[in-house]
Amino acid sequence: MPQFDADRDAMLARAHDAGIDAIIAIGSGTGPGSLDCGIQLANREKAGEPRIYATVGIHPHEAKLATDADFDELSGLARNPKVIAWGEIGLDYFYDHSPREVQRAVFLKQLELARAAKLPVVIHCRPSADSQNAWDECLGILAEQWGSSQIGGVLHCFTGLMEHARKALDMGFMISFAGNVTFPKAQNIRDAARELPLDRMFIETDSPFLAPVPHRGKRNEPAFVAEVARQVAELRGLATEEVAFQTAQNVYRFFKLPSASNAEMPIPAPSRGVAE
Ligand SMILES: [Zn+2]
């Protein structure tokens, strides 16, 4: 994203200093024309920076710009070994930057391409205000078009209800929590972050968006994922380090990546007996 053009090196150094071992760079970028942006970042491989993996995909915001040539380009990019998932794809009925029927068509097309590429999907789903419309449609499409692939995926930046999370878990999905889990009004997100099985959860930043408290309103960056870990740990009565370790292991396991060479399981804090 251009939000990091001025200080991308320093941002990645801060991520490393914050204890981040690996980053998944979402490659949606600004849409067609920059579909390889995640791969470019992943190709850095600089000492003193986290490992970087990439995704490719056209975000629902840019669905109206997608052409057959873009889909061909994505299928080619998906063969790059740094690419571990296809996304963000899905439905955004909150902003409606693209017509809904176009969003649905581009979502369906990319599910087909992701299946051919055997890549898990990273799902972006946001309903209209005071509605669950996009959740119902998105999960319906996944059940019809994706569940049988057995490849699974990630509900990124989860904002839904427990029933949505459970449907996704049943289809082999992981549930990922972003900075908005710290927002005062986001009680439904905190409920899900407290109740879902810890071994099915990821944490993320959604950089440059959704900076967690106490950075809210500023540009978000990977180092701030520590605040997401802190919030999830507090909700579950665990040490922050334990949530950080377990969610990182979940990522390595799900995407079949090597885990950090220096990773050690921290000593678990006493649990409050959260049912899993
Ligand atoms: Zn998103």
Side-chain angles (χ1 to χ4, degrees), residues 171-194:
M171 286 189 274
F173 274 71
M174 307 294 285
I175 312 293
S176 184
F177 292 90
N180 50 357
V181 73
T182 66
F183 294 178
K185 284 184 183 165
Q187 192 54 46
N188 66 309
I189 306 178
R190 276 188 293 282
D191 290 346
R194 189 180 54 239

Side-chain angles (χ1 to χ4, degrees), residues 117-135:
K118 298 189 172 60
L119 287 174
V121 285
V122 178
I123 300 295
H124 171 105
C125 180
R126 189 160 181 200
S128 313
D130 303 317
S131 166
Q132 303 299 333
N133 53 2
W135 283 113

Side-chain angles (χ1 to χ4, degrees), residues 59 88 123-125 156-157 206:
H59 193 281
E88 295 175 24
I123 300 295
H124 171 105
C125 180
H156 123 86
C157 190
D206 201 31

